[in-house]
Amino acid sequence: LSESGVPQLVQPMIWDYAADLDVEGKVHLVEKYRRCGFSKMWFASAFKGATGVNQSLTLIGHHLKNHLQWLKVASSSPPDVLEGIALTGWQRYDHFSVLCELLPVAIPSLAVCLQALENGGYSEKTKENVEKLLGMSNLETETFMR
């Protein structure tokens, strides 16, 4: 790869939507890409639409845990390697599938995930900030929002 010149033309994106993302494995993958000549790379997470083809509600906790794992990968990788994190929001699994998790029901998840990334973690203060931003009295992350 390094001899091909590709690392000077593209930046790889490492995707994983799992709540229990393998941090050590991802750090190892980052190191492998670096040895191949890629100086910058992206991570890809999801704030909705990655937990089931017919999911209609967003389980915020799943996506929050995924983002917290990506933060661990970022902090365990060289400081200059991460170009950014793409927060994907899948609408359907393929063109023949029904729509899953429409954007309005996933906005709280998007807000939680963005705040977790911006603050480098998630705390009671972060939760209160999201509740204030969205005008909510009780943000639920481990159960479906009512």
Side-chain angles (χ1 to χ4, degrees):
L1 273 173
S2 53
E3 291 176 16
S4 72
V6 170
Q8 286 70 47
L9 301 173
V10 300
Q11 295 176 339
M13 184 174 286
I14 304 171
W15 303 72
D16 198 325
Y17 307 140
D20 61 350
L21 173 148
D22 176 11
V23 172
E24 187 177 314
K26 293 296 182 267
V27 171
H28 183 65
L29 188 56
V30 167
E31 292 167 359
K32 285 174 103 172
Y33 277 126
R34 293 277 289 207
R35 285 195 305 272
C36 290
F38 293 96
S39 60
K40 297 284 188 185
M41 53 202 79
W42 292 77
F43 300 156
S45 62
F47 70 92
K48 76 174 197 79
T51 57
V53 67
N54 61 353
Q55 189 79 28
S56 57
L57 298 173
T58 305
L59 186 56
I60 298 170
H62 172 90
H63 301 290
L64 173 59
K65 289 172 188 166
N66 175 254
H67 286 88
L68 295 176
Q69 292 296 90
W70 276 118
L71 285 171
K72 290 178 185 176
V73 174
S75 68
S76 300
S77 298
D80 60 337
V81 73
L82 182 60
E83 189 71 9
I85 298 177
L87 279 76
T88 64
W90 293 96
Q91 193 64 63
R92 61 171 47 130
Y93 281 60
D94 63 57
H95 293 292
F96 302 106
S97 296
V98 297
L99 296 177
C100 63
E101 296 179 66
L102 299 178
L103 181 60
V105 300
I107 288 175
S109 179
L110 176 59
V112 165
C113 294
L114 286 170
Q115 285 295 303
L117 292 176
E118 184 173 312
N119 292 299
Y122 190 74
S123 66
E124 188 60 33
K125 183 165 176 44
T126 307
K127 178 183 182 232
E128 290 169 6
N129 189 35
V130 172
E131 288 172 340
K132 183 179 175 187
L133 288 169
L134 297 178
M136 300 175 73
S137 60
N138 186 27
L139 178 67
E140 300 173 33
T141 60
E142 295 305 318
T143 58
F144 291 112
M145 295 293 296
R146 292 186 214 14

